[in-house]
């Protein structure tokens, strides 16, 4: 159990294991403050076809998928993010667009993020927001080479509570470099 002192608005409270205790003017406990951000371990997908983030806690409101130098072998042009539940990954029913310089691509099997071909690498962030009823919307903004970036967004509705995320290449090939991690807010 980690105990940390937190000071807000002239009142000092104790934070235990990422839960901040909320105190009233008489220093009586009144509940907890949400919005604590948790970071996953970095995953290096190099040589693998996917990076899986499993056993996500229920109640996540926002997820940040961070990419640093992520690229794919050969001509695989985009990363693909799939969300899942205890029943497995959802592989259809997405609305997704990623746009770059002179073009773009749509995908219905996951959330596409352009820029992974061998001469490029994704550096940036995808933000997934839970809107209730197991509906998630996304937006992304990334840099993929010295002169270009990509942006886009998407949506998906899951049949149950989110508990896993997979990042893979759009054609199913192997990654050849980079680091991916998640940050999530409850």
């Amino acid at each position: 159990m980690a105990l940390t002192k937190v000071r807000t608005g002239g009142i000092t409270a104790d934070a235990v294991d990422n839960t901040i205790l909320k105190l009233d003017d008489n220093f009586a406990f009144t509940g907890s403050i949400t919005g604590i951000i948790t970071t996953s371990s970095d995953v290096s997908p190099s040589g693998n076809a996917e990076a899986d983030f499993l056993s996500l806690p229920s109640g996540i409101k926002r997820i940040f998928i961070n990419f640093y130098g992520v690229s794919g072998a050969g001509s695989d042009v985009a990363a693909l993010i799939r969300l899942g539940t205890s029943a497995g990954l959802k592989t259809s029913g997405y609305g997704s667009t990623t746009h770059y310089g002179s073009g773009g691509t749509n995908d219905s099997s996951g959330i596409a993020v352009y820029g992974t071909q061998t001469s490029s690498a994704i550096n940036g962030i995808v933000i997934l927001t839970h809107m209730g009823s197991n509906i998630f919307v996304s937006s992304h903004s990334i840099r993929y080479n010295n002169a270009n970036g990509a942006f886009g967004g998407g949506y998906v509705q899951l049949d149950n509570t989110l508990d896993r995320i997979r990042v893979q290449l759009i054609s199913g090939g192997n990654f050849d470099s980079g680091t991916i991690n998640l940050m999530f807010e409850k």
Side-chain angles (χ1 to χ4, degrees):
M1 182 180 326
L3 179 64
T4 307
K5 290 287 187 190
V6 177
R7 185 171 177 87
T8 66
I11 297 175
T12 300
D14 291 327
V16 180
D17 291 334
N18 287 331
T19 300
I20 298 174
L21 305 179
K22 187 176 174 184
L23 304 174
D24 66 14
D25 292 337
N26 297 317
F27 295 96
F29 173 70
T30 61
S32 64
I33 299 171
T34 60
I36 303 301
I37 302 225
T38 303
T39 303
S40 74
S41 297
D42 292 347
V43 172
S44 176
S46 186
N48 296 308
E50 67 270 328
D52 285 332
F53 298 90
L54 306 172
S55 302
L56 298 175
S58 62
I60 291 177
K61 303 294 182 208
R62 190 170 300 116
I63 301 166
F64 306 90
I65 304 172
N66 305 299
F67 294 91
Y68 175 70
V70 175
S71 68
S75 60
D76 215 324
V77 299
L80 190 69
I81 299 166
R82 289 184 168 157
L83 282 60
T85 68
S86 59
L89 293 168
K90 184 159 179 95
T91 60
S92 63
Y94 293 81
S96 169
T97 299
T98 187
H99 185 78
Y100 55 92
S102 62
T105 188
N106 299 316
D107 200 284
S108 61
S109 69
I111 296 167
V113 181
Y114 182 81
T116 59
Q117 60 273 28
T118 301
S119 61
S120 299
I122 294 175
N123 293 285
I125 188 168
V126 175
I127 301 171
L128 296 166
T129 303
H130 183 221
M131 297 190 57
S133 300
N134 297 316
I135 297 169
F136 288 84
V137 295
S138 74
S139 67
H140 67 270
S141 177
I142 61 99
R143 176 183 191 265
Y144 66 86
N145 65 28
N146 290 337
N148 295 294
F151 62 91
Y155 64 87
V156 68
Q157 183 169 13
L158 301 176
D159 295 330
N160 209 330
T161 303
L162 172 76
D163 76 349
R164 65 194 69 202
I165 292 176
R166 172 174 284 172
V167 180
Q168 63 185 68
L169 293 171
I170 204 160
S171 72
N174 284 346
F175 290 99
D176 63 7
S177 69
T179 302
I180 305 168
N181 79 9
L182 297 186
M183 294 172 60
F184 56 85
E185 180 181 358
K186 288 184 71 172

